[in-house]
Amino acid sequence: MKKIAVLPGDGIGTEIVAEAVKVLKALDLPLEMECALVGGAAYEAFGHPLPEATLKLAKQADAVLFGAVGDWKYDKLDRPLRPEQAILGLRKNLGLFANFRPAICYEQLVHASSLKPDLVAGLDILIIRELTGDIYFGQPRGRRIATDGHFPGAEEAFDTMRYSRPEIERIAHVAFQAAQKRSKRVTSVDKANVLETFQFWKDVVSEVGLQYPDVALDHMYVDNAAMQLVKEPKRFDVVVTGNMFGDILSDEASMLTGSIGMLPSASLNSAGQGLYEPSHGSAPDIAGKGIANPLATILSAAMMLRFSLNDEASALCIEAAVKKVLDQGLRTADIHSAGTTRVSTLEMGNAVVQAL
Ligand code: IPM
Ligand code: MG
């Protein structure tokens, strides 16, 4: 029996995770799923976005299925109490340094992309984002004057960008090894022309690359990478980059696939334990309306079966079911267009279960 910590979080998080849980249950696998509050929901109940009990559950579990956290109503809270600290805390505490964000354009959604169909047809990029370092976790964070999380009267605020050699080495190994299983190309994205941290990044990635002579490595500045992603996205295979650039580029890449509602993710530590979440956020503007796309979370559950539970067959089964519902023309609002059938979050989940 494998244990899954289920952390739906805020906003649409509860709606989309419910559909992914439904799909997992339909597979009738030996899984024990335990839910806990996280993010704003946990703050409301316990006064902290990542309560001890939630962290303990996540640590003990074989894998974590995560929804999303955040709501504008918490913007005035002191930073350590904001919902986003829950996911950052989970990533750091569980050592989830390797974030896989595949951007795959399903053929049924070629026309849902904001780019011309021929630019995205057949697109299959894997963004590997370093997840526990960079400016996200650099110290200090600046001096807080007010207690409401803002800085009235303050003269400056700062965050420190830093990477250590072992941090870069381990994510580089992950990227080269992933590329070996694909088309054997890695693009490392940096800002070495301006930032010392990213000259170091570039140097270390190049050194690690020498151990993988079968993989072609190229380097690209992040501004150029942002442009190339919309100009000629299929030139990329595996993209490896730091925490901050990876955050931005993965949102950009998601639109190539038709909708950010389609993008799953896996965050792994060195023991293979993982947290699985859609790449999108809590979308408070559409929460509770039953219109969110649950497919990114359902596809994240498939990644969970593949990476943490060693069940490739069930992962493929879920992915095939998702393709089938797309073939059937079912679409949530974000990917709906003329000639397709618009369905709710719940109906989409039910359709995937049917297709299984
Ligand atoms: C993501 C999100 C998070 C991040 C936020 C919610 C902290 O944008 O997972 O991409 O910045 O990493
Ligand atoms: Mg993001």
Side-chain angles (χ1 to χ4, degrees):
M1 186 68 94
K2 297 278 188 184
K3 184 154 183 178
I4 313 296
V6 179
L7 312 181
D10 307 322
I12 59 169
T14 49
E15 301 163 53
I16 54 178
V17 166
E19 298 313 309
V21 166
K22 198 192 271 176
V23 169
L24 286 170
K25 284 192 173 150
L27 284 168
D28 205 17
L29 302 168
L31 298 179
E32 182 196 337
M33 295 191 251
E34 191 175 332
C35 281
L37 294 178
V38 75
Y43 173 76
E44 301 285 350
F46 306 112
H48 197 280
L50 183 57
E52 267 308 313
T54 302
L55 181 58
K56 194 170 156 211
L57 174 70
K59 277 186 173 166
Q60 285 170 349
D62 294 290
V64 180
L65 184 64
F66 191 91
V69 289
D71 194 309
W72 302 299
K73 69 182 181 206
Y74 303 113
D75 280 1
K76 287 206 180 315
L77 281 180
D78 216 12
R79 188 158 305 275
L81 295 178
R82 290 199 200 176
E84 289 79 5
Q85 295 303 311
I87 184 64
L88 297 176
L90 281 164
R91 289 170 182 169
K92 197 69 177 176
N93 276 286
L94 274 65
L96 306 167
F97 70 94
N99 183 216
F100 288 71
R101 295 192 165 184
I104 296 171
C105 185
Y106 289 94
E107 61 177 82
Q108 301 88 338
L109 295 183
V110 163
H111 293 277
S113 170
S114 47
L115 294 195
K116 293 195 193 90
D118 58 310
L119 286 182
V120 294
L123 180 84
D124 181 354
I125 304 178
L126 176 60
I127 296 187
I128 297 186
R129 169 187 177 195
E130 198 290 330
L131 205 56
T132 52
D134 203 348
I135 196 163
Y136 268 59
F137 292 97
Q139 298 290 333
R141 293 262 178 80
R143 213 156 75 79
R144 196 161 296 112
I145 309 289
T147 51
D148 67 356
H150 293 271
F151 301 83
E155 295 300 325
E156 63 171 9
F158 51 88
D159 300 274
T160 317
M161 182 175 272
R162 72 169 283 288
Y163 264 121
S164 68
R165 174 177 286 277
E167 282 175 323
I168 304 169
E169 283 175 351
R170 64 182 181 177
I171 195 72
H173 281 291
V174 167
F176 286 113
Q177 284 164 21
Q180 281 181 323
K181 297 187 196 132
R182 299 168 53 100
S183 66
K184 302 194 167 50
R185 285 183 293 122
V186 170
T187 304
S188 171
V189 172
D190 62 60
K191 190 69 188 176
N193 52 342
V194 176
L195 301 171
E196 215 43 55
T197 314
F198 274 92
Q199 180 62 53
F200 183 54
W201 170 282
K202 186 173 180 176
D203 294 347
V204 176
V205 171
S206 298
E207 272 175 51
V208 173
L210 297 175
Q211 298 173 42
Y212 298 87
D214 54 329
V215 179
L217 168 66
D218 69 337
H219 303 273
M220 202 181 273
Y221 297 141
V222 64
D223 46 351
N224 186 26
M227 181 186 74
Q228 297 298 336
L229 264 178
V230 288
K231 181 169 176 251
E232 197 191 346
K234 282 187 265 183
R235 65 174 287 157
F236 295 105
D237 185 46
V238 173
V239 174
V240 65
T241 190
N243 205 345
M244 180 74 150
F245 299 157
D247 179 44
I248 299 165
L249 293 181
S250 59
D251 261 36
E252 188 188 2
S254 73
M255 271 325 287
L256 307 175
T257 72
S259 168
I260 193 166
M262 293 300 300
L263 226 75
S265 84
S267 307
L268 305 178
N269 66 19
S270 38
Q273 195 190 14
L275 179 146
Y276 300 84
E277 57 172 329
S279 293
H280 62 72
S282 55
D285 52 332
I286 60 162
K289 296 187 178 161
I291 60 173
N293 186 348
L295 294 179
T297 318
I298 291 171
L299 290 167
S300 300
M303 290 182 95
M304 175 175 89
L305 292 167
R306 173 172 296 127
F307 290 129
S308 287
L309 305 176
N310 207 10
D311 186 352
E312 177 72 20
S314 299
L316 288 171
C317 204
I318 293 180
E319 287 161 357
V322 167
K323 285 189 189 131
K324 192 161 174 193
V325 301
L326 293 175
D327 273 338
Q328 290 164 350
L330 305 182
R331 306 279 188 271
T332 40
D334 55 316
I335 46 177
H336 178 249
S337 61
T340 62
T341 310
R342 185 170 163 168
V343 293
S344 68
T345 310
L346 192 117
E347 287 164 341
M348 187 58 112
N350 289 347
V352 174
V353 168
Q354 276 297 316
L356 279 177

